């Protein structure tokens, strides 16, 4: 069990047989198994297998699939369906996610449980199809207008795509909040063996707020219109309290060889796999370095950094961007020790050797005999 | 004592905020009366626009969702796909539906989405204070066409019901008005036929209703009705443009 905490506590019942699945298809199958019955999307590489899988497999479970006229429409279809109380998902890649930001703001304001997938590609603009983590700011700091947060989950394997897709639906229902699963073309396109664990469903609140027709109950209204400033502020305070609660209870991370570490590499998703190999190489050279892998990007696992206390002499983030998560690392440690960046961009990925070389460059004292 | 008129059960007690002479109130009442008469109070889910009618969740006494500007048909699609047995309609103005939301309305129709759109056309942006709409008439003065809508600069009005009638997935399309008692009665009949279309599962239904905006037109309520008859009806001809059940 990874450190951190979650309000979704599961008791394993039984493990089933292994399947060899492509990441994107694994997400889609996990969503259907999680009770997702509606999918609205628009084709975009490298996420398209998700909508293709949904188009093919949702009818068999009496679900409904719509290929929307745009991502703008797709996200608003999700809004309507989630407001009607049904589990719903959409998936896209970076330029499409930009188009969804308007709808996401409304979904967050109305506290609707929608699950989104961003198979990030290199941007800005139309960019390229290669792996990228350049949407970190958009995912974790807002993206649409107004003050809101998404719960952001960052898997680093096909198995974790499956596990976190399932958790995403439960977290969305638990907190009445949109949840974003963020990955890239490497994770979306790679094939790995997975199991679909049969787990106890967590206890979730009833959707008494859903618009299902007011038969036999007072009518329900879903709207974010609040022209009266006093009401606007009361709404904001309610959301702020919810986000604080999520930040306190839903931080997740994985740590590797960290107990005696003088230095810590921080990476999520694809780069965490590369960084892990770099840490293994460094350890063989006698360098005391560990890996901290955020699994939730929001809430950022600040508890993991707090637990390391003052032992760590420096951090290196490995990112497929010009350096975005590095800001959260610096905040998490109050800039107490140096935090450096190892990065590639535009669809390029560093090798473990590149990461290790960068590590030695910025932390020369970490190497025996170094200066 | 004989009761000759009462508020529909599908309307709340909240007083309308609409300006004097605005016909939103009449249209709200017609929609509400049909919801009640067709026994839809417990199964109707309405979707509001952005614009003057963006507050109509206060008035319709049913479950409601508020959409972003122009997105009501997409939101309604999501609701209807989630709950196919429920009755789902949008209520949208001309800026919402014919400008920023034109993709959403046309593709909802193209899919034959089994929902109803009530389209209120007053040829102007009312809520933001009288700017040019996609339905603003040639020569019509607004705050963003201060010298009158000039075709070489700002193009021509869109006749939405005629556009919608071309779409195969649209099963029922009507263009009506609420400028006179006779037309109010015809408008109510059209709303009922559109609702019937959805209940029978025939596909997308669309009712365009010509409406007034005395405040932003700068005319009295009476003059506004005259302007609607003399100018708008020439540009947006009335009639049942399509009804797949009437063959």
């Amino acid at each position: 069990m990874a450190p951190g905490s979650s309000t979704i506590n599961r008791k394993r019942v039984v493990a089933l047989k292994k399947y060899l699945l492509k990441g994107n298809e694994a997400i889609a199958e996990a969503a259907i198994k999680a009770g997702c019955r509606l999918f609205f999307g628009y084709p975009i590489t490298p996420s398209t297998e998700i909508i293709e899988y949904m188009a093919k497999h949702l009818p068999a479970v009496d679900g409904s699939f719509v290929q929307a006229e745009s991502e703008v429409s797709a996200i608003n279809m999700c809004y309507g369906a989630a407001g009607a109380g049904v589990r719903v998902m959409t998936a896209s890649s970076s330029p499409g996610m930009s188009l969804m930001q308007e709808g996401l703001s409304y979904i967050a304001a109305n506290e609707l449980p929608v699950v989104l997938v961003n198979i990030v590609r290199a941007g800005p603009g139309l960019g390229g199809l290669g792996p990228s983590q350049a949407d970190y700011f958009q995912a974790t700091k807002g993206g649409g207008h107004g003050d809101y947060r998404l719960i952001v989950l960052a898997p680093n394997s096909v198995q974790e795509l499956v596990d976190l897709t399932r958790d995403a639906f439960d977290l969305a229902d638990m907190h009445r909040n949109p949840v974003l699963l963020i990955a890239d073309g490497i994770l979306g396109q790679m094939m790995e063996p997975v199991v679909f664990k049969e787990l106890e469903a967590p206890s979730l609140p009833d959707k008494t707020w859903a618009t299902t027709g007011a038969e036999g109950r007072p009518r329900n209204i879903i709207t974010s219109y609040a022209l009266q400033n006093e009401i606007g502020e009361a709404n904001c305070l309610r959301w702020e309290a919810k986000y604080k609660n999520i930040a306190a209870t839903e931080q997740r991370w994985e740590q590797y060889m960290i107990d005696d570490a003088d230095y810590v590499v921080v990476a999520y998703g694809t780069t965490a796999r590369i960084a892990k190999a770099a840490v293994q190489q460094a350890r063989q050279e006698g360098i005391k370095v560990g890996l901290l892998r955020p699994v939730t990007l929001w809430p950022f696992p600040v508890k993991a950094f707090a637990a390391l206390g003052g032992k760590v002499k420096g951090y290196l983030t490995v990112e497929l961007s010009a350096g975005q998560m590095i800001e959260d690392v610096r905040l998490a440690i109050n800039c107490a020790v140096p935090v450096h960046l190892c990065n590639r961009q535009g669809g390029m990925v560093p090798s473990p050797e590149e990461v290790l070389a960068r590590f030695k460059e910025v932390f020369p004292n970490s190497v025996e005999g170094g200066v | 004592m004989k009761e000759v008129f009462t508020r529909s059960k599908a309307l709340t007690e909240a007083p309308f905020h609409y300006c004097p002479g605005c016909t939103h109130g009449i249209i709200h009442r017609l929609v509400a009366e049909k919801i009640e008469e067709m026994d839809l109070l417990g199964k109707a889910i309405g979707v509001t626009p952005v614009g003057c009618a963006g507050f109509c969740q206060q008035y319709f006494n049913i479950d409601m969702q508020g959409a972003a500007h122009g997105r009501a048909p997409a939101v309604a699609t999501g609701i209807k796909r989630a709950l196919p047995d429920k009755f789902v309609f949008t209520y949208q103005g001309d800026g919402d539906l014919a400008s920023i939301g034109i993709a959403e309305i046309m593709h909802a129709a193209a899919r034959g989405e089994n929902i109803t759109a009530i389209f209120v056309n007053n040829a102007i942006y009312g809520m933001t204070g009288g700017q040019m709409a996609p339905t603003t008439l040639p020569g019509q003065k607004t705050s963003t066409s201060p010298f009158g809508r000039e075709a070489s600069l700002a193009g021509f009005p869109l006749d939405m019901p005629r556009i919608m009638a071309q779409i195969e997935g649209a099963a029922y399309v009507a263009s009506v008005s609420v400028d006179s008692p006779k037309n109010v009665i015809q408008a109510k009949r059209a709303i009922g036929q559109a609702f019937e279309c959805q209940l029978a599962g025939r596909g997308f239904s669309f009712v365009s209703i010509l409406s007034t905006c005395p405040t932003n037109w700068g005319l009295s309520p009476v003059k506004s009705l005259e302007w609607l008859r003399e100018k708008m009806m020439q540009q947006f001809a009335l009639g049942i443009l399509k009804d797949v059940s009437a063959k």
Side-chain angles (χ1 to χ4, degrees):
Chain A
M1 178 88 185
S5 66
S6 171
T7 53
I8 308 294
N9 294 310
R10 302 193 183 279
K11 196 161 69 181
R12 172 89 67 93
V13 179
V14 68
L16 296 178
K17 73 170 191 172
K18 279 190 177 178
Y19 298 86
L20 186 63
L21 284 182
K22 190 186 249 200
N24 281 339
E25 294 175 343
I27 292 169
E29 180 59 31
I32 292 173
K33 284 188 160 54
C36 175
R37 290 297 174 267
L38 292 169
F39 186 95
F40 306 102
Y42 187 89
I44 182 168
T45 311
S47 72
T48 308
E49 291 88 354
I50 301 175
I51 96 165
E52 288 175 338
Y53 194 96
M54 287 305 207
K56 191 172 180 183
H57 294 277
L58 270 178
V61 292
D62 293 327
S64 190
F65 164 85
V66 177
Q67 182 168 325
E69 59 271 24
S70 67
E71 289 89 347
V72 175
S73 260
I75 193 70
N76 283 288
M77 291 173 186
C78 290
Y79 174 99
V86 175
R87 283 193 161 181
V88 58
M89 183 169 91
T90 187
S92 190
S93 292
S94 306
M97 289 306 295
S98 292
L99 285 173
M100 291 188 182
Q101 296 305 312
E102 176 206 45
L104 255 181
S105 172
Y106 283 73
I107 286 167
N110 286 293
E111 304 186 64
L112 299 178
V114 174
V115 173
L116 308 112
V117 181
N118 184 2
I119 305 297
V120 181
R121 57 190 243 184
L126 199 50
L129 307 178
S132 172
Q133 298 176 328
D135 291 359
Y136 180 92
F137 283 155
Q138 186 199 58
T140 61
K141 310 293 181 191
H145 59 283
D147 198 351
Y148 70 89
R149 295 289 190 173
L150 309 178
I151 297 172
V152 184
L153 306 175
N156 78 334
S157 66
V158 179
Q159 182 62 56
E160 212 172 54
L161 286 172
V162 165
D163 295 343
L164 293 183
T165 296
R166 179 177 184 140
D167 282 1
F169 283 95
D170 290 337
L171 287 167
D173 282 346
M174 176 82 80
H175 294 290
R176 277 193 67 180
N177 206 73
V179 178
L180 171 65
L181 196 76
I182 195 163
D184 59 31
I186 289 181
L187 290 163
Q189 301 294 324
M190 70 162 51
M191 293 185 84
E192 286 184 327
V194 296
V195 293
F196 293 93
K197 299 161 190 165
E198 287 203 355
L199 302 165
E200 270 184 354
S203 169
L204 296 170
D206 290 336
K207 297 181 179 180
T208 54
W209 43 266
T211 59
T212 55
E215 191 75 61
R217 60 157 169 76
R219 70 201 190 98
N220 284 334
I221 299 173
I222 292 172
T223 180
S224 53
Y225 219 170
L227 290 187
Q228 211 178 317
N229 296 339
E230 290 80 0
I231 294 174
E233 185 179 46
N235 288 340
C236 289
L237 289 171
R238 191 178 75 250
W239 296 323
E240 186 187 352
K242 178 175 81 170
Y243 297 138
K244 278 183 177 162
N245 174 50
I246 295 171
T249 58
E250 302 292 1
Q251 294 179 29
R252 298 195 206 182
W253 67 90
E254 183 193 20
Q255 54 196 38
Y256 176 70
M257 305 204 83
I258 217 159
D259 290 342
D260 65 339
D262 291 330
Y263 298 88
V264 170
V265 176
V266 187
Y268 68 90
T270 291
T271 53
R273 297 169 74 117
I274 299 160
K276 192 173 189 177
V279 165
Q280 286 165 346
Q281 286 182 23
R283 282 283 175 173
Q284 281 171 8
E285 296 178 21
I287 302 171
K288 286 186 173 178
V289 57
L291 172 71
L292 200 163
R293 176 173 75 91
V295 174
T296 53
L297 301 187
W298 196 88
F300 194 69
V302 292
K303 290 178 184 175
F305 293 87
L308 295 175
K311 293 184 299 181
V312 178
K313 295 172 184 165
Y315 292 86
L316 178 74
T317 72
V318 186
E319 301 187 64
L320 305 180
S321 72
Q324 299 190 10
M325 180 183 66
I326 192 170
E327 295 187 3
D328 282 333
V329 175
R330 285 183 175 137
L331 282 171
I333 62 162
N334 287 320
C335 296
V337 294
V339 183
H340 293 284
L341 172 68
C342 171
N343 67 332
R344 294 292 296 269
Q345 298 181 71
M348 296 300 288
V349 177
S351 66
E353 291 73 23
E354 272 179 84
V355 175
L356 185 54
R358 174 69 176 155
F359 178 86
K360 289 175 179 172
E361 180 192 341
V362 297
F363 297 122
N365 293 329
S366 67
V367 187
E368 208 168 320
V371 287
Chain B
M1 195 164 59
K2 190 185 171 209
E3 190 178 78
V4 294
F5 184 82
T6 187
R7 189 183 66 246
S8 165
K9 288 194 178 72
L11 288 176
T12 66
E13 290 181 23
F16 292 149
H17 72 280
Y18 300 110
C19 301
C22 168
T23 46
H24 263 307
I26 298 172
I27 299 165
H28 278 25
R29 180 168 58 78
L30 299 183
V31 170
E33 285 176 355
K34 273 295 163 194
I35 287 171
E36 184 182 352
E37 288 167 20
M38 297 172 79
D39 201 20
L40 299 172
L41 270 165
K43 67 182 290 191
I45 303 157
V47 184
T48 70
V50 170
C52 288
F55 295 108
C56 69
Q57 78 279 351
Q58 296 176 24
Y59 310 130
F60 289 117
N61 190 22
I62 53 172
D63 276 8
M64 299 287 288
Q65 287 197 25
H69 200 21
R71 317 296 176 222
V75 173
T77 296
I79 299 170
K80 190 71 176 184
R81 295 291 178 127
L83 306 168
D85 297 333
K86 300 300 163 96
F87 177 80
V88 182
F89 72 97
T90 70
Y91 187 108
Q92 304 174 258
D94 45 78
D96 191 89
L97 182 142
S99 189
I100 197 166
I102 191 138
E104 283 77 6
I105 193 68
M106 291 192 70
H107 282 277
R111 286 191 303 271
E113 209 65 57
N114 196 30
I115 59 174
T116 303
I118 304 294
F119 171 51
V120 180
N121 177 8
N122 60 8
I124 207 161
Y125 281 77
M127 183 61 123
T128 45
Q131 294 76 33
M132 183 177 65
T135 49
T136 290
L137 302 186
Q140 185 183 341
K141 285 185 180 176
T142 71
S143 67
T144 52
S145 56
F147 312 108
R149 184 175 188 168
E150 165 59 51
S152 67
L153 296 171
F156 301 89
L158 289 173
D159 189 342
M160 286 311 298
R162 272 166 181 76
I163 291 168
M164 301 308 289
Q166 304 300 313
I167 298 174
E168 200 171 344
Y172 180 87
V173 180
S175 175
V176 297
S177 173
V178 288
D179 62 290
S180 66
K182 172 172 167 268
N183 279 341
V184 168
I185 290 165
Q186 284 184 353
K188 184 172 176 180
R189 189 178 304 134
I191 292 167
Q193 287 169 348
F195 286 10
E196 200 56 58
C197 176
Q198 180 180 158
L199 293 173
R202 286 196 287 269
F204 185 80
S205 49
F206 186 87
V207 181
S208 166
I209 305 171
L210 297 184
S211 181
T212 59
C213 185
T215 300
N216 290 307
W217 290 357
L219 299 173
S220 71
V222 173
K223 290 279 184 202
S224 292
L225 291 172
E226 288 170 8
W227 194 83
L228 185 157
R229 277 190 286 271
E230 287 165 16
K231 305 286 187 183
M232 288 186 78
M233 282 187 192
Q234 307 309 312
Q235 187 76 42
F236 309 111
L238 304 188
I240 307 298
L241 305 184
K242 193 173 184 185
D243 185 354
V244 296
S245 71
K247 278 178 180 165

